Amino acid sequence: MRLEILPVLGIGHVTEGDDLAAVIATAAPWLRDGDVLVVTSKIVSKAEGRLVDVPADGPERLAARDEVLADETARVVASRGPTRIVQTHHGFVMASAGIDASNVDKTRLVLLPVDPDASARELRGALRERYDLDVAVIISDTMGRPWRNGLTDVALGVAGMPAIRDHRGEVDPYGNELQLTQMAVVDELAGAGELIKGKCDQVPVAVVRGYLAATRPDDSDGARTLIRDAAQDLFSLGTAEARAAGLADAATLAEAVGPEPADPAAVRRALDAVAGVVTPGTVFTLVDEAEVRAGLVAEVPGWPADASALVLGTAPAPLDPMDLVRFGADLHRLRVALAAEGVRSTLLPPPAGSPASAALAL
């Protein structure tokens, strides 16, 4: 295979309502059947009117951008300071939902196309019907990658070729049958096109020649096949967000386990699990003898007489404000550990005495 990557020069400024097929065909009369057009999503968005007006600067601009971002977000994946990694309504996970303020007037923002696969099919169809050109079309945009620095272009939409080259079932030169190898070829071609498009050169379209012998009918699922199903995504949240979700799930589990008496062995395992991670000086004591428990519950109004056990906690002394924060975190760790063992827990009013004390009914 011998590949060529060719720039399409002379595209110029694209505005709402422009005919992209005519613009590209006029700028690249040398296009051939089997070429792969790599088209920057921004000019597709501009032609389709995916623009919003915002103030040019100041806090009003930031507020307007945040509002647009909220509208384009299906869920927040991670948030660090001003940076938001979100999943769009398309299913893409990217910074700021792909909202772009470059190469556009300062009072406007460019959003991603509503349906990049449909945009690719429409552009391909127009080139075929009006210019007798049978080309594949990739709509590309720039993304970061988990675990790696730097950006690269990837495919948001595709028509005329499959998004994935599936090697499963093939046999390598050593006689091994390939089990997992699926190559995201449209992402690779999008990245190849970006090598000559650049960010400041105003070359929004590239042509990759030599990869395809012929294009495919538009009966595939397009680039949406590249979106990993949530059930298979092992890293669907940022670390802080995953921890918060885990704690919330643990609290839900603790309430949902039911009223069955706590298994003392399970409670002991939970206590052992947190023993090495709590703040030095924090002590949790399991009270599971009926006669002792009966004496304790009489001391504090609101403690349930039918609790199967009580865990009492005390914070290190002497106490300062940060010790209270640490003690609260230690208590939460214990509730998570109890939930992991299937033991529900209810936070009770602290017993009389030290303000840095707590109790759980199990």
Side-chain angles (χ1 to χ4, degrees):
M1 183 184 297
R2 181 173 182 267
L3 298 180
E4 295 179 89
I5 309 173
L6 310 170
V8 177
L9 305 176
I11 295 291
H13 182 61
V14 174
T15 59
E16 183 175 352
D18 280 354
D19 184 341
L20 281 185
V23 169
I24 293 171
T26 300
W30 40 266
L31 283 174
R32 301 178 190 168
D33 290 351
D35 283 346
V36 180
L37 280 180
V38 182
V39 183
T40 300
S41 66
K42 183 174 295 181
I43 66 168
V44 176
S45 294
K46 287 181 176 179
E48 294 178 350
R50 289 283 286 164
L51 300 152
V52 293
D53 294 321
V54 295
D57 51 34
E60 296 83 3
R61 176 182 175 85
L62 295 177
R65 184 185 176 98
D66 287 343
E67 184 175 344
V68 173
L69 176 56
D71 290 341
E72 295 296 301
T73 297
R75 70 179 180 93
V76 176
V77 174
S79 176
R80 301 293 183 274
T83 301
R84 299 288 185 274
I85 307 298
V86 305
Q87 185 172 42
T88 69
H89 298 292
H90 317 80
F92 308 134
V93 176
M94 54 200 314
S96 300
I99 298 169
D100 201 338
S102 63
N103 290 307
V104 69
D105 189 273
K106 288 185 177 181
T107 61
R108 310 196 88 180
L109 297 175
V110 184
L111 312 182
L112 295 181
V114 173
D115 186 342
D117 282 324
S119 300
R121 288 192 298 268
E122 182 178 352
L123 178 55
R124 179 174 183 255
L127 290 168
R128 182 176 57 228
E129 293 166 12
R130 288 154 46 194
Y131 299 95
D132 197 28
L133 284 170
D134 192 10
V135 298
V137 175
I138 294 173
I139 308 297
S140 71
D141 198 56
T142 303
M143 288 190 191
R145 288 87 41 82
W147 310 298
R148 296 180 71 82
N149 290 322
L151 306 173
T152 186
D153 266 27
V154 300
L156 302 186
V158 62
M161 64 176 293
I164 291 176
R165 169 72 167 92
D166 194 344
H167 292 276
R168 291 176 299 178
E170 297 178 10
V171 178
D172 70 15
Y174 293 89
N176 302 304
E177 182 178 339
L178 301 179
Q179 302 291 331
L180 300 173
T181 306
Q182 294 176 287
M183 303 302 296
V185 291
V186 289
D187 281 349
E188 294 176 316
L189 292 171
E194 174 57 21
L195 291 174
I196 60 168
K197 286 192 297 179
K199 293 301 178 191
C200 301
D201 300 330
Q202 293 188 317
V203 181
V205 181
V207 173
V208 180
R209 177 170 291 169
Y211 180 77
L212 291 179
T215 60
R216 304 285 184 89
D218 297 330
D219 57 0
S220 69
D221 290 330
R224 72 186 63 184
T225 59
L226 297 169
I227 299 173
R228 179 163 289 161
D229 183 82
Q232 298 178 329
D233 189 353
L234 301 182
F235 307 97
S236 60
L237 290 173
T239 52
E241 291 73 18
R243 183 176 184 275
L247 294 174
D249 288 345
T252 301
L253 175 61
E255 296 297 330
V257 169
E260 293 82 4
D263 176 5
V267 178
R268 178 54 59 190
R269 286 194 297 270
L271 289 169
D272 290 343
V274 300
V277 294
V278 297
T279 305
T282 295
V283 176
F284 292 112
T285 303
L286 174 62
V287 181
D288 57 2
E289 295 183 11
E291 61 273 18
V292 176
R293 183 170 67 250
L296 286 170
V297 297
E299 294 180 7
V300 181
W303 282 18
D306 60 348
S308 61
L310 290 174
V311 171
L312 303 179
T314 58
L319 197 66
D320 63 33
M322 284 309 300
D323 285 327
L324 283 174
V325 173
R326 297 185 188 101
F327 182 54
D330 290 339
L331 186 63
H332 204 58
R333 290 188 183 98
L334 176 58
R335 296 197 72 191
V336 171
L338 288 166
E341 293 289 344
V343 178
R344 66 182 178 89
S345 60
T346 303
L347 189 61
L348 299 174
S354 168
S357 59
L360 298 175
L362 309 177

